[in-house]
Amino acid sequence: MRSTLPSYLLGALILLLANPGQAARAYRLGPTPSWVEPIEIPKDAAQSSDNGVHYLLADEQVNGTKRPVEHYVHRARTLLTSGATTESAQITITFDPEFETLTLHRVVVHREGKPLNRLSSSSIRVMQRESGLERQIYDGNLSVLILPEDVRPGDTLEYSFTVKGTNPTLRGQLVESFSTQWSSPIERLHYRVLAPKKSPLATRAHGSSEPTGRTTTHGTFIDYTWDRTQVPPLEPDTNLPAWFHAYPWLQVSSFSDWSEVASWGEKLYRVDRRLPPEAKRVVRDIMTGGGSTEERVAQVLHWVQGEIRYLGIELGVRSFTPNTPRQVLRQRFGDCKDKTLLLVAMLETMGLNAVPVLVNTSLRSGVKSFLPSPTAFDHVIARVEVNGEPFFLDPTRILQAGPLSGHGLAPFGYGLPLTEDTTDLEEIVPRPEATGRIDVRYGLDVEGNQATLIVDTTYTASQAEWMRGYI
């Protein structure tokens, strides 16, 4: 499962050249949309930067009143050194071709007060971006790489573009996020979101550096605008924990509460849950093999973990929607959504109450500070009730064994069960017995002038899982 944070704001790891037909359709040239509020590049700004890049303008505007949604981006950065020119004289725009289209508006080099049009003369390449390749996740995103000619130290590189489209699984909901402080100084930071009057937005600033905001109603839509000048750079401490988001940011969501998000997600998992014959036989054999309910659940979990390899083909709507159990068994691979739904379907066949649960692998308990939004999550696990007690299971883990209560689980903190009656995030309380221990016993066997040191190490629960993976 991947986040829907605007893909064109993410850094690109470009691995594969897109096929010629796809490259020809990847983008077009066109004028700035008429709904965009023009923002001038600040003049005569004192420019300095430790990393050699000073942003004169960082402008982003979103029109949520249109279908599909339109995202307009306008940047102007001065390259103060030769090193900065080497690193930042190219432009990379990443988007999902399954539901997004790209229009390029401007590429201009400003030198000594003169604008030099570089859009027509730039070398433009279309590449396929697979930043999750090392994690076995393929998203099909494309990156348009623009290489303007003749960019020199001291030049200001200006560019603008519009990405039109949004993931159809969001079903008209608007969720956005904007960073309000960067590693480079910003002379003017400007964000604007237009939303239908009938679907007002909730906004929340995370961290410090909240820009000044204003809200204006215009007939059938509401204009949300945030503005800030002379934003200093931020260099985070390199030893911060993974769950801490160092850069301040602004969140926007049209979801009213977590109940609405849970209902949205529950509908996505209403796929055909019928089990193929092989999975039915596995369930039947486990049910007739004796053992307690907890032991049977552990056997089903181990089967899903071992028989279905982890691989995410998260193209388009598949970034949120799982494949059916039949498809997963046929292809013998799946991501967290696929493996969780298969596990849930098998547990339901056993007569147990099991549901998918959305979690965040890095922010963990930090999701409590989020506005209700699907983008608060990047992973899915399962919750099953055994004798009235909830167990949280991760079918993407491997090498788990032993009692179910001793199975390790990442400290997610909170999750969102995908049920119609969910009203809020649910705390995921770690089980003490799943923490694991490492017990070491030393012995010395002395015989004559020879001695043998004996070391007996016992790993339990999550520590045993770690050691199984190590050896």
Side-chain angles (χ1 to χ4, degrees), residues 222-275:
I222 304 175
D223 183 329
Y224 301 83
T225 300
W226 297 267
D227 227 327
R228 192 181 179 206
T229 59
Q230 298 182 340
V231 183
L234 176 65
E235 286 298 329
D237 191 305
T238 56
N239 295 314
L240 293 173
W243 53 262
F244 182 77
H245 201 292
Y247 288 97
W249 60 290
L250 185 68
Q251 184 185 13
V252 176
S253 177
S254 61
F255 284 89
S256 59
D257 51 34
W258 287 116
S259 174
E260 189 175 8
V261 178
S263 178
W264 163 87
E266 190 271 339
K267 291 180 176 63
L268 294 182
Y269 280 72
R270 289 183 189 175
V271 299
D272 184 359
R273 297 190 181 187
R274 290 178 298 171
L275 295 178

Side-chain angles (χ1 to χ4, degrees), residues 25 36 91 129 144 162 167 183 217 225 228 277 307 310 337 364 373 378:
R25 302 189 304 270
V36 169
I91 303 161
R129 170 190 179 274
V144 171
T162 296
N167 196 317
S183 60
T217 301
T225 300
R228 192 181 179 206
E307 293 294 325
Y310 183 86
K337 302 183 301 296
R364 299 176 179 176
S373 168
D378 63 0

Side-chain angles (χ1 to χ4, degrees), residues 73-256:
V73 176
H74 184 196
R75 301 275 191 264
R77 58 179 179 245
T78 300
L79 311 176
L80 301 172
T81 65
S82 58
T85 305
T86 300
E87 294 291 330
S88 303
Q90 57 276 344
I91 303 161
T92 302
I93 307 168
T94 303
F95 65 101
D96 192 326
E98 289 286 322
F99 50 80
E100 293 177 328
T101 59
L102 171 64
T103 301
L104 304 177
H105 307 310
R106 289 170 60 84
V107 177
V108 176
V109 171
H110 297 266
R111 181 178 301 152
E112 298 177 350
K114 297 180 180 180
L116 306 172
N117 188 351
R118 291 287 190 263
L119 182 57
S120 59
S121 62
S122 294
S123 174
I124 302 179
R125 299 283 187 267
V126 179
M127 318 291 270
Q128 186 162 343
R129 170 190 179 274
E130 293 296 351
S131 62
L133 190 65
E134 71 283 354
R135 293 179 288 114
Q136 298 297 305
I137 297 177
Y138 301 80
D139 58 25
N141 282 355
L142 292 183
S143 290
V144 171
L145 178 65
I146 305 173
L147 303 172
E149 66 177 21
D150 188 20
V151 181
R152 308 174 190 178
D155 288 348
T156 295
L157 178 60
E158 178 195 3
Y159 59 94
S160 63
F161 61 90
T162 296
V163 173
K164 182 184 295 186
T166 191
N167 196 317
T169 58
L170 290 175
R171 299 179 180 177
Q173 296 278 11
L174 190 63
V175 289
E176 300 291 338
S177 63
F178 311 101
S179 178
T180 55
Q181 194 172 12
W182 300 357
S183 60
S184 297
I186 308 170
E187 193 63 26
R188 184 175 182 185
L189 184 72
H190 178 265
Y191 294 130
R192 178 173 180 245
V193 180
L194 306 181
K197 190 175 180 180
K198 63 181 180 181
S199 302
L201 302 177
T203 66
R204 180 172 297 172
H206 297 266
S208 58
S209 303
E210 179 179 0
T212 302
R214 68 177 186 271
T215 302
T216 310
T217 301
H218 302 273
T220 60
F221 69 93
I222 304 175
D223 183 329
Y224 301 83
T225 300
W226 297 267
D227 227 327
R228 192 181 179 206
T229 59
Q230 298 182 340
V231 183
L234 176 65
E235 286 298 329
D237 191 305
T238 56
N239 295 314
L240 293 173
W243 53 262
F244 182 77
H245 201 292
Y247 288 97
W249 60 290
L250 185 68
Q251 184 185 13
V252 176
S253 177
S254 61
F255 284 89
S256 59

Side-chain angles (χ1 to χ4, degrees), residues 437-442 454-460 467:
R437 290 169 51 91
I438 302 177
D439 295 321
V440 183
R441 298 181 64 186
Y442 297 93
I454 302 172
V455 181
D456 185 358
T457 306
T458 302
Y459 299 82
T460 62
M467 179 51 68

Side-chain angles (χ1 to χ4, degrees), residues 340 343-344 347 352-357 381-386 389-394 416-419 421-422 426-428:
T340 292
L343 174 63
V344 166
L347 295 175
L352 298 173
N353 179 16
V355 297
V357 179
I381 61 175
R383 186 193 69 188
V384 60
E385 290 187 13
V386 178
E389 186 177 1
F391 284 81
F392 292 90
L393 314 175
D394 190 345
L416 187 71
L418 298 184
T419 69
D421 57 358
T422 294
E426 180 177 340
E427 186 175 8
I428 301 176

